[in-house]
Amino acid sequence: MARKFGSSNTNRVGTGKIDQSESTGEKWAGSVAAQVATAANIKAIMAKTIPVNYVQCDPQNPRKLALSQAQVSAIAQNYPLDAKLLQVEDATDWIEDYVARVGQGEGLTGKAVGDLESLVSFAAALKSADRLLHPIVVWRDESTFHLIAGERRLLAHILLGESHIAARILEQHYSRAEIDTLQWEENVHRVDMSLWERVEHVKKLLESEAGIAATSVTKLSKILGRSRAESQRYLVVLRYPSPLLLDAIKTGRVGDLKSAAALAQLSSEQLQKKLSGAPSIAPPKASVKFSDKSQSQAFATLLKAAAKQLKMESAIKQIDLKSPAGINEALAILIDGLGSSANG
């Protein structure tokens, strides 16, 4: 939980300077204006370093990490990262060992373990606050900095034990709909959200506008800043009359938007039959380790070839196959796809 930021501590905000670059400010404000449909709401934008302990994560962030800010803070305190390990070029081995140790000690399972590995990998790549290229974005009330964008950057700083983080500070409070739109723009261009997270967030954006039924493809395309084809797929998925499709997306049985939109063309009975053809027993979790980078690169090439043969390129398109975690994730998806094909 973020600490209160009282007036007596104002000088602790940091030593950053107000960004007086007109071209930079106009570009940033223009980008936000295109998303929230009004530049009038953009007041003073300051770039400063602020205390990490005074930043509060948004509980409604669409990223849906399985680890809370409080949990990450506890992990950072109980299992501090070794500064020497952060200097190791190939951090694969120590990250896996660290995540396994923390996971066992904290009783983490499932997505929480994957999220921890992602955050630790990010922290290992970042190494220190001085290397942060993109500041987080917050709005400030009288006592707290409320996070709009940059949850993973903030949590990585916490893991690194950093006391301050670079931030763009918006002086006014945004509406929930405006924050949702800003977070969509931020998240969709960074580490990929799951299909369920994206569908849920698009649903929130639509409900804050004209509603799912009344929103046109063109309107949604403008709201999301995405193509008409992608917007059309979101709409057909969200308008599907049976909860079967969304349930399949939520449980991970449908993992990419194109496949979900194709399933939305089926009747409820056809969809039920299609989904019931999936294996009733979950396939074993795939896990491989590599002794050097050449092995991981070769395996990544093999996975791409297998995905092409299975016509599953879209399912692993957004996965980072340069990391062991990404390779294992892609391998699990392809194995699941093989099982579905065998039973369908």
Side-chain angles (χ1 to χ4, degrees), residues 217-297:
V217 173
T218 300
K219 175 66 174 177
L220 182 57
S221 179
K222 290 180 179 179
I223 292 173
L224 301 181
R226 311 296 285 180
S227 69
R228 287 176 54 87
E230 183 174 341
S231 301
Q232 171 68 24
R233 288 168 184 155
Y234 279 119
L235 284 175
V236 297
V237 168
L238 287 169
R239 289 171 177 169
Y240 192 72
S242 167
L244 286 172
L245 182 54
L246 289 181
D247 286 345
I249 294 172
K250 184 175 183 179
T251 56
R253 298 176 71 186
V254 179
D256 70 280
L257 183 60
K258 188 174 182 180
S259 297
L263 290 173
Q265 308 305 314
L266 303 176
S267 67
S268 297
E269 292 76 14
Q270 290 173 323
L271 179 60
Q272 177 68 60
K273 184 177 180 180
K274 182 76 173 179
L275 294 175
S276 65
S280 57
I281 300 177
K285 182 179 179 181
S287 179
V288 291
K289 288 188 177 183
F290 307 99
S291 58
D292 56 54
K293 289 185 177 179
S294 62
Q295 288 185 347
S296 63
Q297 291 171 352

Side-chain angles (χ1 to χ4, degrees), residues 116-308:
L116 175 61
E117 182 171 356
S118 175
L119 290 173
V120 174
S121 297
F122 185 17
L126 184 61
K127 300 185 186 305
S128 75
D130 296 335
R131 290 164 55 90
L132 183 67
L133 297 179
H134 302 286
I136 63 173
V137 181
V138 299
W139 67 269
R140 176 184 176 182
D141 63 15
E142 294 182 355
S143 60
T144 306
F145 292 104
H146 298 274
L147 190 66
I148 291 178
E151 184 174 20
R152 293 180 72 254
R153 280 164 279 171
L154 174 66
L155 297 181
H157 274 61
I158 292 175
L159 283 175
L160 288 168
E162 296 287 357
S163 61
H164 286 69
I165 187 170
R168 287 186 177 273
I169 307 169
L170 310 183
E171 288 296 321
Q172 80 282 7
H173 175 37
Y174 282 87
S175 69
R176 184 69 247 175
E178 289 171 325
I179 291 175
D180 286 343
T181 307
L182 286 168
Q183 288 176 339
W184 164 267
E185 181 65 17
E186 167 73 12
N187 284 320
V188 77
H189 293 301
R190 295 195 182 276
V191 172
D192 293 301
M193 301 162 68
S194 69
L195 178 59
W196 173 248
E197 290 171 335
R198 285 183 280 134
V199 168
E200 276 288 281
H201 199 55
V202 171
K203 180 181 177 181
K204 284 178 61 179
L205 292 174
L206 291 176
E207 289 174 343
S208 68
E209 295 283 337
I212 296 173
T215 302
S216 67
V217 173
T218 300
K219 175 66 174 177
L220 182 57
S221 179
K222 290 180 179 179
I223 292 173
L224 301 181
R226 311 296 285 180
S227 69
R228 287 176 54 87
E230 183 174 341
S231 301
Q232 171 68 24
R233 288 168 184 155
Y234 279 119
L235 284 175
V236 297
V237 168
L238 287 169
R239 289 171 177 169
Y240 192 72
S242 167
L244 286 172
L245 182 54
L246 289 181
D247 286 345
I249 294 172
K250 184 175 183 179
T251 56
R253 298 176 71 186
V254 179
D256 70 280
L257 183 60
K258 188 174 182 180
S259 297
L263 290 173
Q265 308 305 314
L266 303 176
S267 67
S268 297
E269 292 76 14
Q270 290 173 323
L271 179 60
Q272 177 68 60
K273 184 177 180 180
K274 182 76 173 179
L275 294 175
S276 65
S280 57
I281 300 177
K285 182 179 179 181
S287 179
V288 291
K289 288 188 177 183
F290 307 99
S291 58
D292 56 54
K293 289 185 177 179
S294 62
Q295 288 185 347
S296 63
Q297 291 171 352
F299 205 85
T301 301
L302 180 63
L303 285 177
K304 290 178 182 178
K308 184 176 181 180

